[in-house]
Amino acid sequence: MAIRTVVWGENVHEQTNKIVSDLYPKGMHGCIADALNEDDAISATTATLQEDDHGLTVERLAETDVLLWWGHAAHGDVKDEVAERVCEAVWAGMGLIFLHSAHFSKPFKRLMGTPCNLSWREAGERERLWLTSRNHPIAAGMGNSFEIEHEEMYGEPFGVPEPLETVFVSWFQGGEVFRSGLTYKRGAGNVFYFRPGHETYPTYYNDDVRRVLKNAVHWAHNPAPRLVDPTVAPNVPVEDAPEQIEERGPRLHQDGEEGFR
Amino acid sequence: MAIRTVVWGENVHEQTNKIVSDLYPKGMHGCIADALNEDDAISATTATLQEDDHGLTVERLAETDVLLWWGHAAHGDVKDEVAERVCEAVWAGMGLIFLHSAHFSKPFKRLMGTPCNLSWREAGERERLWLTSRNHPIAAGMGNSFEIEHEEMYGEPFGVPEPLETVFVSWFQGGEVFRSGLTYKRGAGNVFYFRPGHETYPTYYNDDVRRVLKNAVHWAHNPAPRLVDPTVAPNVPVEDAPEQIEERGPRLHQDGEEGFR
Amino acid sequence: MAIRTVVWGENVHEQTNKIVSDLYPKGMHGCIADALNEDDAISATTATLQEDDHGLTVERLAETDVLLWWGHAAHGDVKDEVAERVCEAVWAGMGLIFLHSAHFSKPFKRLMGTPCNLSWREAGERERLWLTSRNHPIAAGMGNSFEIEHEEMYGEPFGVPEPLETVFVSWFQGGEVFRSGLTYKRGAGNVFYFRPGHETYPTYYNDDVRRVLKNAVHWAHNPAPRLVDPTVAPNVPVEDAPEQIEERGPRLHQDGEEGFR
Amino acid sequence: MAIRTVVWGENVHEQTNKIVSDLYPKGMHGCIADALNEDDAISATTATLQEDDHGLTVERLAETDVLLWWGHAAHGDVKDEVAERVCEAVWAGMGLIFLHSAHFSKPFKRLMGTPCNLSWREAGERERLWLTSRNHPIAAGMGNSFEIEHEEMYGEPFGVPEPLETVFVSWFQGGEVFRSGLTYKRGAGNVFYFRPGHETYPTYYNDDVRRVLKNAVHWAHNPAPRLVDPTVAPNVPVEDAPEQIEERGPRLHQDGEEGFR
């Protein structure tokens, strides 16, 4: 079965800015979904901020193997409840790929536990991404580097936790660098941050960028059944201990009692 | 100057449970602070849930090098505002040591970005902590293992991110294991999780436990000046780019404009 | 195409010890290969110390997607040249799974760069492996723990680098713990260490162990084309720099010259 | 007591190349030792390839808290025995800082277990190092970036294991990037790789570089007593098991026997 993928787009600049709407007539999310659907093993649809529950109901997330997230102008408009629901889906096993300005989205900040700060400049400068982990599946079929002629600059220090692996590092014409491809695991879910994708440039038409996105969906997909309740902390009664023991000493809790959360 | 250390105690069981109040007449936080003050290079005071702002005002956090956190029954009573303030202090450089049931505290869940789940059993069984990173400063002066005769069991899987280093792993009499000492960096701040410390046992009188706590305060302390605003994402105008570039292409933002957050 | 897998066995105890030869009449390597071949997507053969080049010629390694390594009594008899050849195959993209006492094999020590020390006891005690990374592909289809009734004990501290991920931690009846499943990347190759497998016990007939081995072969397999020369350090002449620059200042090397190695 | 530091210099270019000898009349090692001795808490001396045992006898290493290593033209002339001795000292707790072309030195390749490959260009171009881990002790007192006007380029992919922390990433004028400051732990020893330092440029007179070196010596220093034998794998007899167990099943080894290595 194809990997069930949802591209979430904030869909604000597309409605308010002629540059963006001309560049992405189907929305950035639509362009990204089209890119993913070039791969027969991926089945991508879209969801946007403006839909009920931002298009991310409990039911839909339960049937989503991998989610991609692009947001920028309206991070604050994403309901806390939906952001938390997305994080719980990740903890249960859903893959999640954060794109560009999603570094400041609610789910990314929640999953990283860090400031997610960076420096930035919008000057249409050249970005060159270098591979730092050879033969990484997210770079399958690619060379040691690729270029994007016009991009927004993001500069270090990038306020994220040390990743499992640094996959790409970007060079910018104006003199900065940035860790542009970073992998994490959160609960049972795989998380990837990928830097490029400023709304006023045709980044999502770039063949190398599209290949990274397709590779990343495959990498993030975990075919294991979703965990039912990833946050539960079960009590193990004394009689169910793997090794036979006798209870000793004073207790606070009673048998079968739930822990404090 | 001594390391300015605050031991934060929820201070609920001490008020409501005779076993705990008899064991820790000065509160668990008081006992821990006494342990730390055995080290002349540490100056430890306490703060509790019941104080205004839970004893953790902006001013106090600004003068705290390392915070220790013990909570259990009243995680939900900690104000979101104070939890966020504590995280921001960590991002700015404050060290933070989470103890035992603080695995489900608001600041820990916020800094980890994961479910922080585990399994547990309160049977007064034996715990033996094994060192996994030889000569780690948090284990300075200690052997390869140490025992706690009566402890609550915490079992894997422990729902936390892969740490910078696993320092201790626990063996439990009933058959479980647990990663008991884990290091992280969040923003500019050092974070350590240390498992032992159930309220109905005399764990914080154990010499090995006390030594770990003292070592951990030294490890978590970062003498660098606190960052002023760890979450800010500054714009770098074209004319301030490290390398001279010319602006090209369409723009969304105007000069000096703040980014979306 | 099935994953081309080679199970390397030292094949010494099988020839010299009746317990082992009775338990593993086809050799431990034969038993492990049989386990892997239960999976249609894996095609496993064997190689042993006694063969020319220990069965690991350049040609054979070039056609091996994943290698498994079991050695114990004759680590020192493995030719340095073959050990280095194995490491170079890993750097080029071959997967390598080290089993049990292979912690002291030449390729493992070479790839880890650490002492690889541990403590041990041969008492047929019970081992219970706990999953520490939920839904990890190496634990696909398995629960939170599994038991091996008779095993040799390996105890911490285990002298290896901090892994990419800790997948399993073992509990031993005699009171020790051990990080039993650890992932690494070395060059372009995936490396997994898996602890169980003492020669005098029927460990490789255990269904859970066999499932881990099959899962690990899938995890370690990197379908990307093998790198041609993973250790080369190419000079980039000034005229081939991605950005146009002019050479400045004094030089030690001449154009196109090879670097010192 | 001051941190006992030894700066090891290959000392070949200084003897054979007028540019280098004019730039570093006391040798590069002499210049680096002078930089370190500006810090009263460091006591630095030098050792060179040409001395007996390359100046690194067992006795001297035993009294060395932190070693720095610069080599390039004569990596192959370093005796295997001395390289192994240096690694064992690290495993026992000595800190080791590798500089620039030491990426291909015997001890670095041995401690990393990887190809340590990179790309390079000697064009005197500008390098700018960006801090990726805010308030890291190795960057104490420094800003977010610093420049070196003339340096050799090293480019990704850099064939090293994923580090504990990436501290610096370099931008190069010619279009490449490089992870320039990387931390590792090997056995009980702290290891730091720091990229800058080409022999024909005055890099070791640069104030920022000198500050990083001083900071790195403090970071790498582990005051714990050196481990006596970091590679030993002790047997734990059944009667010495932490928990009382009875021996069961067949055995290969006899009591108190040494394991195979």
Side-chain angles (χ1 to χ4, degrees):
Chain A
M1 193 171 71
I3 302 172
R4 300 166 301 176
T5 304
V6 174
V7 183
W8 191 87
E10 180 186 275
N11 192 31
V12 169
H13 297 311
E14 291 95 328
Q15 309 305 322
T16 60
N17 184 291
K18 187 162 177 359
I19 296 165
V20 181
S21 60
D22 283 355
L23 200 51
Y24 294 107
K26 299 170 72 176
M28 301 179 77
H29 46 285
C31 177
I32 294 168
D34 285 349
L36 299 179
N37 282 321
E38 292 169 352
D39 182 334
D40 288 343
I42 299 175
S43 168
T45 56
T46 64
T48 58
L49 177 69
Q50 295 77 22
E51 299 171 40
D52 284 350
D53 271 2
H54 313 321
L56 301 173
T57 59
V58 171
E59 294 71 27
R60 186 156 191 204
L61 287 174
E63 295 178 349
T64 300
D65 295 317
V66 179
L67 179 67
L68 292 91
W69 191 283
W70 197 102
H72 184 216
H75 291 321
D77 294 345
V78 173
K79 291 178 200 161
D80 288 342
E81 180 192 351
V82 173
E84 198 68 17
R85 182 187 300 164
V86 165
C87 293
E88 286 191 17
V90 170
W91 299 339
M94 184 181 74
L96 184 39
I97 299 168
F98 290 97
L99 301 173
H100 190 62
S101 43
H103 74 93
F104 262 168
S105 67
K106 286 185 179 179
F108 189 69
K109 291 193 291 186
R110 178 72 180 87
L111 291 170
M112 294 295 106
T114 53
C116 303
N117 61 291
L118 45 76
S119 70
W120 60 282
R121 177 177 55 241
E122 191 189 16
E125 66 200 273
R126 186 156 51 251
E127 173 179 15
R128 185 176 298 104
L129 291 95
W130 288 91
L131 181 64
T132 45
S133 179
R134 296 181 95 172
N135 274 16
H136 196 286
I138 292 177
M142 309 183 71
N144 283 339
S145 70
F146 65 95
E147 289 184 13
I148 304 174
E149 187 55 32
H150 295 275
E151 254 297 346
E152 184 182 21
M153 181 282 290
Y154 277 9
E156 295 279 351
F158 184 24
V160 288
E162 195 65 29
L164 287 182
E165 290 190 77
T166 299
V167 181
F168 297 112
V169 172
S170 285
W171 177 100
F172 287 98
Q173 198 178 355
E176 284 91 353
V177 297
F178 197 75
R179 291 170 293 164
S180 275
L182 300 171
T183 66
Y184 297 91
K185 194 177 180 200
R186 288 293 179 265
N190 297 314
V191 175
F192 182 57
Y193 175 80
F194 186 53
R195 198 214 75 82
H198 188 57
E199 61 274 9
T200 60
Y201 310 125
T203 297
Y204 292 117
Y205 294 103
N206 178 297
D207 283 342
D208 290 305
V209 169
R210 290 163 86 96
R211 181 172 291 214
V212 169
L213 295 178
K214 285 178 263 193
N215 287 341
V217 166
H218 283 273
W219 173 85
H221 175 224
N222 190 334
R226 206 66 69 81
L227 296 180
V228 176
D229 186 349
T231 67
V232 75
N235 177 251
V236 182
V238 174
E239 59 273 21
D240 294 345
E243 301 288 322
Q244 195 180 345
I245 54 174
E246 290 190 17
E247 190 188 318
R248 309 184 297 181
R251 295 175 65 183
L252 193 78
H253 297 277
Q254 301 310 311
D255 275 335
E257 187 182 327
E258 280 198 33
F260 296 108
R261 299 187 65 168
Chain B
M1 193 171 69
I3 302 172
R4 300 165 301 176
T5 304
V6 173
V7 183
W8 189 87
E10 180 187 275
N11 192 33
V12 168
H13 297 310
E14 292 94 329
Q15 309 304 322
T16 60
N17 185 292
K18 187 163 176 1
I19 297 165
V20 181
S21 61
D22 283 355
L23 200 50
Y24 294 107
K26 299 170 71 175
M28 302 179 76
H29 46 284
C31 177
I32 294 168
D34 285 350
L36 299 178
N37 282 321
E38 293 168 354
D39 182 335
D40 289 342
I42 298 175
S43 169
T45 56
T46 64
T48 58
L49 177 70
Q50 297 76 21
E51 299 171 41
D52 284 349
D53 272 1
H54 312 321
L56 300 173
T57 59
V58 171
E59 294 70 28
R60 185 152 190 209
L61 288 173
E63 293 178 350
T64 301
D65 295 316
V66 179
L67 179 67
L68 293 90
W69 190 282
W70 197 102
H72 183 216
H75 290 322
D77 294 345
V78 173
K79 291 178 200 159
D80 289 341
E81 179 192 352
V82 173
E84 197 69 16
R85 183 188 299 163
V86 164
C87 293
E88 287 190 15
V90 170
W91 299 339
M94 182 181 75
L96 182 40
I97 299 167
F98 290 98
L99 300 173
H100 191 60
S101 43
H103 74 91
F104 262 168
S105 67
K106 287 185 179 181
F108 189 68
K109 291 193 293 184
R110 178 73 181 89
L111 291 169
M112 294 294 107
T114 54
C116 302
N117 60 291
L118 46 75
S119 70
W120 60 281
R121 178 177 55 240
E122 191 189 16
E125 67 201 273
R126 185 155 53 251
E127 174 179 15
R128 185 176 298 104
L129 291 96
W130 288 90
L131 181 64
T132 44
S133 178
R134 296 182 94 171
N135 273 15
H136 195 285
I138 291 178
M142 309 183 72
N144 283 339
S145 71
F146 65 95
E147 289 182 14
I148 305 174
E149 188 53 33
H150 296 275
E151 253 298 345
E152 185 182 20
M153 181 281 290
Y154 277 8
E156 295 281 349
F158 184 23
V160 288
E162 196 65 29
L164 286 182
E165 290 190 77
T166 298
V167 180
F168 297 113
V169 173
S170 283
W171 177 100
F172 287 97
Q173 198 178 355
E176 284 90 353
V177 296
F178 198 74
R179 291 169 294 164
S180 276
L182 300 171
T183 65
Y184 296 92
K185 193 176 181 201
R186 289 293 179 264
N190 296 314
V191 174
F192 182 57
Y193 175 80
F194 186 53
R195 198 214 75 83
H198 189 57
E199 62 273 10
T200 60
Y201 310 125
T203 298
Y204 292 117
Y205 295 103
N206 178 298
D207 283 342
D208 291 306
V209 168
R210 291 164 86 96
R211 180 171 294 215
V212 169
L213 295 178
K214 285 178 264 194
N215 287 342
V217 166
H218 283 272
W219 173 85
H221 175 222
N222 190 333
R226 206 66 70 83
L227 296 179
V228 176
D229 185 350
T231 66
V232 75
N235 177 251
V236 182
V238 174
E239 60 272 20
D240 293 346
E243 301 288 322
Q244 194 179 348
I245 53 173
E246 291 192 16
E247 190 189 319
R248 308 183 300 180
R251 295 175 66 183
L252 194 78
H253 297 278
Q254 302 309 312
D255 275 335
E257 186 183 329
E258 279 199 34
F260 296 109
R261 299 186 66 166
Chain C
M1 194 172 69
I3 302 173
R4 300 165 303 176
T5 305
V6 173
V7 182
W8 189 87
E10 181 186 275
N11 192 32
V12 168
H13 296 311
E14 291 94 330
Q15 309 304 321
T16 60
N17 185 291
K18 187 162 176 1
I19 297 165
V20 182
S21 60
D22 284 355
L23 200 51
Y24 294 106
K26 300 170 73 174
M28 302 178 77
H29 45 286
C31 177
I32 294 168
D34 286 350
L36 299 179
N37 283 321
E38 293 168 353
D39 182 334
D40 289 342
I42 299 175
S43 170
T45 57
T46 65
T48 59
L49 177 70
Q50 296 77 21
E51 300 171 41
D52 285 350
D53 271 3
H54 312 321
L56 300 174
T57 58
V58 170
E59 293 72 26
R60 186 155 190 206
L61 288 173
E63 295 177 348
T64 301
D65 295 317
V66 178
L67 180 67
L68 293 90
W69 191 282
W70 196 101
H72 184 217
H75 290 321
D77 295 346
V78 173
K79 291 178 199 161
D80 289 342
E81 180 192 350
V82 174
E84 196 70 15
R85 183 187 299 164
V86 165
C87 293
E88 287 191 16
V90 171
W91 299 338
M94 184 181 75
L96 183 39
I97 299 167
F98 290 98
L99 300 173
H100 191 61
S101 43
H103 75 92
F104 262 170
S105 66
K106 286 185 179 180
F108 189 69
K109 291 193 292 186
R110 178 72 180 88
L111 290 170
M112 294 295 106
T114 54
C116 303
N117 60 290
L118 47 75
S119 70
W120 59 281
R121 176 177 57 241
E122 191 189 15
E125 66 201 272
R126 187 158 48 254
E127 174 179 14
R128 185 176 299 104
L129 292 95
W130 288 91
L131 181 64
T132 44
S133 178
R134 294 182 96 171
N135 273 16
H136 196 284
I138 291 178
M142 309 183 72
N144 283 340
S145 70
F146 65 95
E147 289 185 14
I148 304 174
E149 187 54 32
H150 296 275
E151 254 298 345
E152 184 181 22
M153 180 282 289
Y154 277 9
E156 294 281 349
F158 185 22
V160 287
E162 195 65 30
L164 286 184
E165 290 190 77
T166 298
V167 180
F168 297 114
V169 171
S170 285
W171 177 98
F172 288 98
Q173 198 178 355
E176 285 90 353
V177 296
F178 197 74
R179 290 169 294 164
S180 276
L182 300 171
T183 65
Y184 297 92
K185 194 176 181 200
R186 289 293 180 263
N190 296 315
V191 174
F192 182 57
Y193 175 81
F194 186 53
R195 197 214 76 82
H198 189 57
E199 60 274 9
T200 62
Y201 310 125
T203 298
Y204 292 116
Y205 295 103
N206 178 298
D207 283 341
D208 290 307
V209 169
R210 290 164 87 97
R211 181 172 291 214
V212 169
L213 295 179
K214 284 177 267 195
N215 287 341
V217 166
H218 284 272
W219 173 85
H221 175 222
N222 189 334
R226 205 67 70 81
L227 296 180
V228 176
D229 185 349
T231 66
V232 74
N235 176 252
V236 182
V238 174
E239 59 273 20
D240 294 346
E243 300 288 323
Q244 194 178 345
I245 53 173
E246 289 191 19
E247 191 189 318
R248 308 184 298 181
R251 295 176 64 182
L252 194 78
H253 296 279
Q254 300 310 310
D255 274 336
E257 188 183 325
E258 281 198 31
F260 297 107
R261 299 184 67 167
Chain D
M1 194 172 68
I3 302 172
R4 300 164 303 175
T5 305
V6 173
V7 183
W8 190 88
E10 181 186 273
N11 192 31
V12 169
H13 296 311
E14 291 93 330
Q15 308 304 323
T16 60
N17 184 293
K18 189 162 177 356
I19 296 165
V20 181
S21 60
D22 284 355
L23 200 50
Y24 293 107
K26 299 169 73 174
M28 300 178 78
H29 46 284
C31 177
I32 294 167
D34 285 350
L36 299 178
N37 282 321
E38 292 168 355
D39 181 334
D40 288 343
I42 299 175
S43 169
T45 56
T46 65
T48 58
L49 177 70
Q50 296 78 22
E51 298 172 42
D52 285 349
D53 272 2
H54 312 320
L56 300 174
T57 59
V58 171
E59 293 72 27
R60 186 155 189 206
L61 287 173
E63 295 177 347
T64 301
D65 296 316
V66 179
L67 179 66
L68 293 91
W69 191 282
W70 197 101
H72 183 218
H75 289 322
D77 294 344
V78 173
K79 291 178 200 160
D80 288 342
E81 180 193 350
V82 174
E84 197 69 17
R85 182 188 299 163
V86 165
C87 292
E88 287 191 16
V90 170
W91 298 338
M94 183 180 76
L96 182 40
I97 299 167
F98 290 98
L99 301 173
H100 191 61
S101 42
H103 74 92
F104 261 169
S105 67
K106 287 185 179 180
F108 189 69
K109 291 193 292 186
R110 178 74 180 88
L111 291 170
M112 294 295 107
T114 54
C116 303
N117 60 290
L118 46 76
S119 69
W120 60 282
R121 176 177 56 239
E122 192 189 14
E125 66 202 272
R126 185 157 51 251
E127 174 179 13
R128 184 176 300 104
L129 291 95
W130 288 91
L131 181 64
T132 44
S133 178
R134 295 180 95 170
N135 274 16
H136 196 286
I138 292 178
M142 308 182 72
N144 283 340
S145 70
F146 66 95
E147 289 184 14
I148 306 175
E149 187 55 31
H150 296 273
E151 252 299 345
E152 184 180 22
M153 181 281 291
Y154 277 8
E156 294 282 348
F158 184 23
V160 288
E162 196 63 31
L164 287 183
E165 290 190 75
T166 299
V167 181
F168 297 113
V169 172
S170 285
W171 178 98
F172 288 98
Q173 198 178 355
E176 285 89 354
V177 297
F178 198 75
R179 290 170 293 164
S180 275
L182 300 171
T183 66
Y184 297 92
K185 194 176 180 200
R186 289 292 179 264
N190 297 315
V191 175
F192 182 57
Y193 175 80
F194 187 52
R195 200 214 74 82
H198 189 56
E199 61 273 10
T200 60
Y201 310 125
T203 297
Y204 292 116
Y205 294 103
N206 177 297
D207 283 342
D208 290 306
V209 168
R210 291 163 87 98
R211 180 172 292 215
V212 169
L213 295 178
K214 284 177 264 195
N215 286 343
V217 166
H218 284 272
W219 173 85
H221 176 223
N222 190 333
R226 205 66 71 83
L227 296 180
V228 175
D229 185 348
T231 68
V232 75
N235 177 252
V236 182
V238 173
E239 60 271 21
D240 294 346
E243 300 289 322
Q244 194 178 347
I245 53 173
E246 290 191 18
E247 191 187 319
R248 307 183 300 179
R251 296 176 63 183
L252 193 79
H253 296 278
Q254 302 307 313
D255 274 336
E257 186 183 328
E258 281 198 29
F260 297 108
R261 299 187 64 167

